[in-house]
PDB file of all heavy atoms in Angstrom:
ATOM      1  N   ILE J 123       3.777  39.430 -47.452  1.00 98.00           N
ATOM      2  CA  ILE J 123       3.593  40.090 -46.210  1.00 98.00           C
ATOM      3  C   ILE J 123       3.348  41.579 -46.608  1.00 98.00           C
ATOM      4  O   ILE J 123       4.228  42.277 -47.083  1.00 98.00           O
ATOM      5  CB  ILE J 123       4.737  39.968 -45.235  1.00 98.00           C
ATOM      6  CG1 ILE J 123       5.034  38.459 -44.999  1.00 98.00           C
ATOM      7  CG2 ILE J 123       4.557  40.705 -43.911  1.00 98.00           C
ATOM      8  CD1 ILE J 123       6.392  38.194 -44.265  1.00 98.00           C
ATOM      9  N   HIS J 124       2.155  41.988 -46.199  1.00 98.00           N
ATOM     10  CA  HIS J 124       1.816  43.398 -46.560  1.00 98.00           C
ATOM     11  C   HIS J 124       2.017  44.315 -45.230  1.00 98.00           C
ATOM     12  O   HIS J 124       1.539  43.909 -44.206  1.00 98.00           O
ATOM     13  CB  HIS J 124       0.288  43.606 -46.903  1.00 98.00           C
ATOM     14  CG  HIS J 124       0.001  42.809 -48.121  1.00 98.00           C
ATOM     15  ND1 HIS J 124       0.058  43.314 -49.373  1.00 98.00           N
ATOM     16  CD2 HIS J 124      -0.519  41.459 -48.271  1.00 98.00           C
ATOM     17  CE1 HIS J 124      -0.366  42.384 -50.274  1.00 98.00           C
ATOM     18  NE2 HIS J 124      -0.659  41.336 -49.701  1.00 98.00           N
ATOM     19  N   PHE J 125       2.714  45.422 -45.365  1.00 98.00           N
ATOM     20  CA  PHE J 125       2.748  46.348 -44.237  1.00 98.00           C
ATOM     21  C   PHE J 125       2.693  47.761 -44.728  1.00 98.00           C
ATOM     22  O   PHE J 125       2.963  48.038 -45.992  1.00 98.00           O
ATOM     23  CB  PHE J 125       3.997  46.111 -43.425  1.00 98.00           C
ATOM     24  CG  PHE J 125       5.300  46.270 -44.253  1.00 98.00           C
ATOM     25  CD1 PHE J 125       5.977  47.439 -44.339  1.00 98.00           C
ATOM     26  CD2 PHE J 125       5.865  45.133 -44.854  1.00 98.00           C
ATOM     27  CE1 PHE J 125       7.107  47.490 -45.130  1.00 98.00           C
ATOM     28  CE2 PHE J 125       7.000  45.201 -45.631  1.00 98.00           C
ATOM     29  CZ  PHE J 125       7.682  46.438 -45.657  1.00 98.00           C
ATOM     30  N   LEU J 126       2.375  48.751 -43.920  1.00 98.00           N
ATOM     31  CA  LEU J 126       2.336  50.093 -44.230  1.00 98.00           C
ATOM     32  C   LEU J 126       3.656  50.759 -44.166  1.00 98.00           C
ATOM     33  O   LEU J 126       4.537  50.419 -43.323  1.00 98.00           O
ATOM     34  CB  LEU J 126       1.218  50.848 -43.390  1.00 98.00           C
ATOM     35  CG  LEU J 126      -0.210  50.295 -43.455  1.00 98.00           C
ATOM     36  CD1 LEU J 126      -1.088  50.958 -42.361  1.00 98.00           C
ATOM     37  CD2 LEU J 126      -0.741  50.480 -44.862  1.00 98.00           C
ATOM     38  N   PRO J 127       3.767  51.937 -44.911  1.00 98.00           N
ATOM     39  CA  PRO J 127       5.157  52.516 -44.768  1.00 98.00           C
ATOM     40  C   PRO J 127       5.387  53.095 -43.445  1.00 98.00           C
ATOM     41  O   PRO J 127       4.474  53.878 -42.899  1.00 98.00           O
ATOM     42  CB  PRO J 127       5.037  53.757 -45.816  1.00 98.00           C
ATOM     43  CG  PRO J 127       3.602  53.812 -46.088  1.00 98.00           C
ATOM     44  CD  PRO J 127       2.919  52.536 -45.744  1.00 98.00           C
ATOM     45  N   PRO J 128       6.464  52.758 -42.712  1.00 98.00           N
ATOM     46  CA  PRO J 128       6.758  53.326 -41.420  1.00 98.00           C
ATOM     47  C   PRO J 128       7.110  54.849 -41.414  1.00 98.00           C
ATOM     48  O   PRO J 128       7.740  55.244 -42.414  1.00 98.00           O
ATOM     49  CB  PRO J 128       7.852  52.500 -40.831  1.00 98.00           C
ATOM     50  CG  PRO J 128       8.624  52.024 -42.094  1.00 98.00           C
ATOM     51  CD  PRO J 128       7.604  51.965 -43.224  1.00 98.00           C
ATOM     52  N   TYR J 129       6.641  55.584 -40.474  1.00 97.00           N
ATOM     53  CA  TYR J 129       7.123  56.995 -40.428  1.00 97.00           C
ATOM     54  C   TYR J 129       7.978  57.288 -39.114  1.00 97.00           C
ATOM     55  O   TYR J 129       8.513  58.394 -38.940  1.00 97.00           O
ATOM     56  CB  TYR J 129       5.914  57.910 -40.427  1.00 97.00           C
ATOM     57  CG  TYR J 129       4.886  57.570 -39.386  1.00 97.00           C
ATOM     58  CD1 TYR J 129       4.947  58.213 -38.062  1.00 97.00           C
ATOM     59  CD2 TYR J 129       3.813  56.576 -39.645  1.00 97.00           C
ATOM     60  CE1 TYR J 129       4.049  57.714 -37.169  1.00 97.00           C
ATOM     61  CE2 TYR J 129       2.965  56.215 -38.752  1.00 97.00           C
ATOM     62  CZ  TYR J 129       2.983  56.771 -37.381  1.00 97.00           C
ATOM     63  OH  TYR J 129       2.218  56.411 -36.393  1.00 97.00           O
ATOM     64  N   ARG J 130       8.053  56.230 -38.259  1.00 97.00           N
ATOM     65  CA  ARG J 130       8.958  56.366 -37.116  1.00 97.00           C
ATOM     66  C   ARG J 130      10.175  55.571 -37.252  1.00 97.00           C
ATOM     67  O   ARG J 130      10.039  54.310 -37.751  1.00 97.00           O
ATOM     68  CB  ARG J 130       8.244  55.926 -35.815  1.00 97.00           C
ATOM     69  CG  ARG J 130       7.117  56.785 -35.317  1.00 97.00           C
ATOM     70  CD  ARG J 130       6.841  56.624 -33.867  1.00 97.00           C
ATOM     71  NE  ARG J 130       5.850  57.565 -33.485  1.00 97.00           N
ATOM     72  CZ  ARG J 130       5.484  57.672 -32.175  1.00 97.00           C
ATOM     73  NH1 ARG J 130       5.957  56.924 -31.255  1.00 97.00           N
ATOM     74  NH2 ARG J 130       4.489  58.575 -31.892  1.00 97.00           N
ATOM     75  N   PRO J 131      11.399  56.117 -37.181  1.00 96.00           N
ATOM     76  CA  PRO J 131      12.562  55.366 -37.415  1.00 96.00           C
ATOM     77  C   PRO J 131      12.582  54.057 -36.737  1.00 96.00           C
ATOM     78  O   PRO J 131      13.100  53.009 -37.234  1.00 96.00           O
ATOM     79  CB  PRO J 131      13.754  56.237 -37.014  1.00 96.00           C
ATOM     80  CG  PRO J 131      13.118  57.631 -36.882  1.00 96.00           C
ATOM     81  CD  PRO J 131      11.648  57.444 -36.678  1.00 96.00           C
ATOM     82  N   GLU J 132      12.109  54.005 -35.411  1.00 96.00           N
ATOM     83  CA  GLU J 132      12.204  52.699 -34.711  1.00 96.00           C
ATOM     84  C   GLU J 132      11.357  51.593 -35.303  1.00 96.00           C
ATOM     85  O   GLU J 132      11.736  50.507 -35.209  1.00 96.00           O
ATOM     86  CB  GLU J 132      11.957  52.953 -33.224  1.00 96.00           C
ATOM     87  CG  GLU J 132      10.739  53.541 -32.850  1.00 96.00           C
ATOM     88  CD  GLU J 132      10.729  55.108 -32.763  1.00 96.00           C
ATOM     89  OE1 GLU J 132      11.474  55.687 -33.496  1.00 96.00           O
ATOM     90  OE2 GLU J 132      10.044  55.667 -31.950  1.00 96.00           O
ATOM     91  N   ASN J 133      10.367  51.985 -35.963  1.00 97.00           N
ATOM     92  CA  ASN J 133       9.516  50.993 -36.633  1.00 97.00           C
ATOM     93  C   ASN J 133      10.128  50.527 -37.898  1.00 97.00           C
ATOM     94  O   ASN J 133       9.996  49.315 -38.298  1.00 97.00           O
ATOM     95  CB  ASN J 133       8.130  51.485 -36.815  1.00 97.00           C
ATOM     96  CG  ASN J 133       7.192  51.196 -35.651  1.00 97.00           C
ATOM     97  OD1 ASN J 133       7.675  50.529 -34.663  1.00 97.00           O
ATOM     98  ND2 ASN J 133       5.944  51.677 -35.605  1.00 97.00           N
ATOM     99  N   ALA J 134      10.833  51.398 -38.630  1.00 97.00           N
ATOM    100  CA  ALA J 134      11.594  50.968 -39.727  1.00 97.00           C
ATOM    101  C   ALA J 134      12.744  50.035 -39.365  1.00 97.00           C
ATOM    102  O   ALA J 134      12.974  48.992 -40.074  1.00 97.00           O
ATOM    103  CB  ALA J 134      12.182  52.215 -40.448  1.00 97.00           C
ATOM    104  N   MET J 135      13.339  50.298 -38.227  1.00 97.00           N
ATOM    105  CA  MET J 135      14.342  49.283 -37.749  1.00 97.00           C
ATOM    106  C   MET J 135      13.769  47.979 -37.369  1.00 97.00           C
ATOM    107  O   MET J 135      14.389  46.915 -37.615  1.00 97.00           O
ATOM    108  CB  MET J 135      15.052  49.984 -36.462  1.00 97.00           C
ATOM    109  CG  MET J 135      15.674  51.328 -36.592  1.00 97.00           C
ATOM    110  SD  MET J 135      17.040  51.347 -37.693  1.00 97.00           S
ATOM    111  CE  MET J 135      18.265  50.702 -36.529  1.00 97.00           C
ATOM    112  N   GLN J 136      12.580  48.085 -36.691  1.00 96.00           N
ATOM    113  CA  GLN J 136      11.863  46.846 -36.371  1.00 96.00           C
ATOM    114  C   GLN J 136      11.531  45.989 -37.532  1.00 96.00           C
ATOM    115  O   GLN J 136      11.693  44.799 -37.549  1.00 96.00           O
ATOM    116  CB  GLN J 136      10.650  47.359 -35.582  1.00 96.00           C
ATOM    117  CG  GLN J 136       9.703  46.103 -35.187  1.00 96.00           C
ATOM    118  CD  GLN J 136      10.261  45.475 -33.917  1.00 96.00           C
ATOM    119  OE1 GLN J 136      11.401  45.592 -33.612  1.00 96.00           O
ATOM    120  NE2 GLN J 136       9.285  44.728 -33.288  1.00 96.00           N
ATOM    121  N   LEU J 137      11.104  46.647 -38.689  1.00 97.00           N
ATOM    122  CA  LEU J 137      10.747  45.959 -39.877  1.00 97.00           C
ATOM    123  C   LEU J 137      12.037  45.309 -40.500  1.00 97.00           C
ATOM    124  O   LEU J 137      11.995  44.162 -41.092  1.00 97.00           O
ATOM    125  CB  LEU J 137      10.005  46.848 -40.878  1.00 97.00           C
ATOM    126  CG  LEU J 137       8.586  47.184 -40.455  1.00 97.00           C
ATOM    127  CD1 LEU J 137       8.083  48.326 -41.286  1.00 97.00           C
ATOM    128  CD2 LEU J 137       7.724  45.951 -40.614  1.00 97.00           C
ATOM    129  N   GLU J 138      13.116  46.033 -40.392  1.00 96.00           N
ATOM    130  CA  GLU J 138      14.450  45.453 -40.807  1.00 96.00           C
ATOM    131  C   GLU J 138      14.707  44.124 -40.090  1.00 96.00           C
ATOM    132  O   GLU J 138      15.036  43.043 -40.683  1.00 96.00           O
ATOM    133  CB  GLU J 138      15.531  46.427 -40.644  1.00 96.00           C
ATOM    134  CG  GLU J 138      16.938  45.853 -40.938  1.00 96.00           C
ATOM    135  CD  GLU J 138      18.082  46.843 -40.934  1.00 96.00           C
ATOM    136  OE1 GLU J 138      17.752  48.039 -41.178  1.00 96.00           O
ATOM    137  OE2 GLU J 138      19.309  46.434 -40.768  1.00 96.00           O
ATOM    138  N   LYS J 139      14.519  44.281 -38.739  1.00 95.00           N
ATOM    139  CA  LYS J 139      14.829  42.958 -38.045  1.00 95.00           C
ATOM    140  C   LYS J 139      13.776  41.956 -38.281  1.00 95.00           C
ATOM    141  O   LYS J 139      14.237  40.686 -38.470  1.00 95.00           O
ATOM    142  CB  LYS J 139      14.695  43.359 -36.449  1.00 95.00           C
ATOM    143  CG  LYS J 139      15.065  42.285 -35.495  1.00 95.00           C
ATOM    144  CD  LYS J 139      15.318  42.993 -34.149  1.00 95.00           C
ATOM    145  CE  LYS J 139      15.406  41.925 -33.049  1.00 95.00           C
ATOM    146  NZ  LYS J 139      14.160  41.621 -32.404  1.00 95.00           N
ATOM    147  N   LEU J 140      12.585  42.253 -38.537  1.00 95.00           N
ATOM    148  CA  LEU J 140      11.532  41.140 -38.700  1.00 95.00           C
ATOM    149  C   LEU J 140      11.602  40.598 -40.025  1.00 95.00           C
ATOM    150  O   LEU J 140      11.286  39.449 -40.304  1.00 95.00           O
ATOM    151  CB  LEU J 140      10.136  41.766 -38.464  1.00 95.00           C
ATOM    152  CG  LEU J 140       9.834  42.266 -37.072  1.00 95.00           C
ATOM    153  CD1 LEU J 140       8.573  42.999 -36.973  1.00 95.00           C
ATOM    154  CD2 LEU J 140       9.792  41.079 -36.023  1.00 95.00           C
ATOM    155  N   LEU J 141      11.819  41.477 -41.033  1.00 94.00           N
ATOM    156  CA  LEU J 141      11.641  40.999 -42.456  1.00 94.00           C
ATOM    157  C   LEU J 141      13.001  40.862 -43.191  1.00 94.00           C
ATOM    158  O   LEU J 141      12.997  40.429 -44.316  1.00 94.00           O
ATOM    159  CB  LEU J 141      10.671  41.949 -43.202  1.00 94.00           C
ATOM    160  CG  LEU J 141       9.371  42.085 -42.542  1.00 94.00           C
ATOM    161  CD1 LEU J 141       8.576  43.114 -43.244  1.00 94.00           C
ATOM    162  CD2 LEU J 141       8.612  40.815 -42.575  1.00 94.00           C
ATOM    163  N   GLY J 142      14.057  41.395 -42.659  1.00 92.00           N
ATOM    164  CA  GLY J 142      15.370  41.330 -43.303  1.00 92.00           C
ATOM    165  C   GLY J 142      15.477  42.319 -44.455  1.00 92.00           C
ATOM    166  O   GLY J 142      16.287  42.207 -45.359  1.00 92.00           O
ATOM    167  N   ILE J 143      14.716  43.349 -44.364  1.00 94.00           N
ATOM    168  CA  ILE J 143      14.858  44.482 -45.411  1.00 94.00           C
ATOM    169  C   ILE J 143      15.567  45.600 -44.740  1.00 94.00           C
ATOM    170  O   ILE J 143      15.272  46.065 -43.609  1.00 94.00           O
ATOM    171  CB  ILE J 143      13.453  45.015 -45.828  1.00 94.00           C
ATOM    172  CG1 ILE J 143      12.599  43.841 -46.394  1.00 94.00           C
ATOM    173  CG2 ILE J 143      13.610  46.020 -46.931  1.00 94.00           C
ATOM    174  CD1 ILE J 143      11.114  44.202 -46.382  1.00 94.00           C
ATOM    175  N   GLN J 144      16.719  46.045 -45.383  1.00 95.00           N
ATOM    176  CA  GLN J 144      17.499  47.201 -44.813  1.00 95.00           C
ATOM    177  C   GLN J 144      16.595  48.352 -44.504  1.00 95.00           C
ATOM    178  O   GLN J 144      15.647  48.624 -45.276  1.00 95.00           O
ATOM    179  CB  GLN J 144      18.541  47.529 -45.927  1.00 95.00           C
ATOM    180  CG  GLN J 144      19.817  48.170 -45.322  1.00 95.00           C
ATOM    181  CD  GLN J 144      19.720  49.668 -45.233  1.00 95.00           C
ATOM    182  OE1 GLN J 144      18.910  50.217 -45.991  1.00 95.00           O
ATOM    183  NE2 GLN J 144      20.477  50.274 -44.389  1.00 95.00           N
ATOM    184  N   HIS J 145      16.719  48.928 -43.332  1.00 93.00           N
ATOM    185  CA  HIS J 145      15.770  49.893 -42.775  1.00 93.00           C
ATOM    186  C   HIS J 145      15.493  51.085 -43.753  1.00 93.00           C
ATOM    187  O   HIS J 145      14.446  51.656 -43.939  1.00 93.00           O
ATOM    188  CB  HIS J 145      16.096  50.366 -41.423  1.00 93.00           C
ATOM    189  CG  HIS J 145      17.398  51.144 -41.331  1.00 93.00           C
ATOM    190  ND1 HIS J 145      18.525  50.524 -41.053  1.00 93.00           N
ATOM    191  CD2 HIS J 145      17.762  52.497 -41.500  1.00 93.00           C
ATOM    192  CE1 HIS J 145      19.606  51.454 -40.980  1.00 93.00           C
ATOM    193  NE2 HIS J 145      19.010  52.616 -41.307  1.00 93.00           N
ATOM    194  N   GLY J 146      16.648  51.465 -44.524  1.00 93.00           N
ATOM    195  CA  GLY J 146      16.471  52.666 -45.414  1.00 93.00           C
ATOM    196  C   GLY J 146      15.652  52.284 -46.704  1.00 93.00           C
ATOM    197  O   GLY J 146      15.052  53.248 -47.316  1.00 93.00           O
ATOM    198  N   ALA J 147      15.448  51.023 -46.887  1.00 95.00           N
ATOM    199  CA  ALA J 147      14.609  50.539 -48.053  1.00 95.00           C
ATOM    200  C   ALA J 147      13.276  50.152 -47.668  1.00 95.00           C
ATOM    201  O   ALA J 147      12.385  49.833 -48.545  1.00 95.00           O
ATOM    202  CB  ALA J 147      15.437  49.514 -48.748  1.00 95.00           C
ATOM    203  N   VAL J 148      12.982  50.072 -46.422  1.00 95.00           N
ATOM    204  CA  VAL J 148      11.656  49.444 -45.941  1.00 95.00           C
ATOM    205  C   VAL J 148      10.495  50.065 -46.632  1.00 95.00           C
ATOM    206  O   VAL J 148       9.542  49.489 -47.066  1.00 95.00           O
ATOM    207  CB  VAL J 148      11.612  49.529 -44.433  1.00 95.00           C
ATOM    208  CG1 VAL J 148      10.217  49.492 -43.900  1.00 95.00           C
ATOM    209  CG2 VAL J 148      12.391  48.330 -43.775  1.00 95.00           C
ATOM    210  N   LYS J 149      10.556  51.449 -46.697  1.00 94.00           N
ATOM    211  CA  LYS J 149       9.389  52.246 -47.189  1.00 94.00           C
ATOM    212  C   LYS J 149       9.076  51.798 -48.658  1.00 94.00           C
ATOM    213  O   LYS J 149       7.874  51.650 -48.973  1.00 94.00           O
ATOM    214  CB  LYS J 149       9.675  53.700 -47.247  1.00 94.00           C
ATOM    215  CG  LYS J 149       9.086  54.423 -46.018  1.00 94.00           C
ATOM    216  CD  LYS J 149       9.109  55.876 -46.139  1.00 94.00           C
ATOM    217  CE  LYS J 149       8.552  56.451 -44.960  1.00 94.00           C
ATOM    218  NZ  LYS J 149       8.745  57.872 -44.847  1.00 94.00           N
TER     219      LYS J 149
END
Side-chain angles (χ1 to χ4, degrees):
I123 303 169
H124 298 272
F125 59 89
L126 298 173
Y129 52 90
R130 288 198 178 189
E132 53 271 35
N133 274 353
M135 305 290 284
Q136 175 79 343
L137 286 167
E138 172 171 337
K139 184 160 170 272
L140 295 170
L141 302 174
I143 305 166
Q144 206 268 336
H145 62 268
V148 157
K149 262 194 185 170

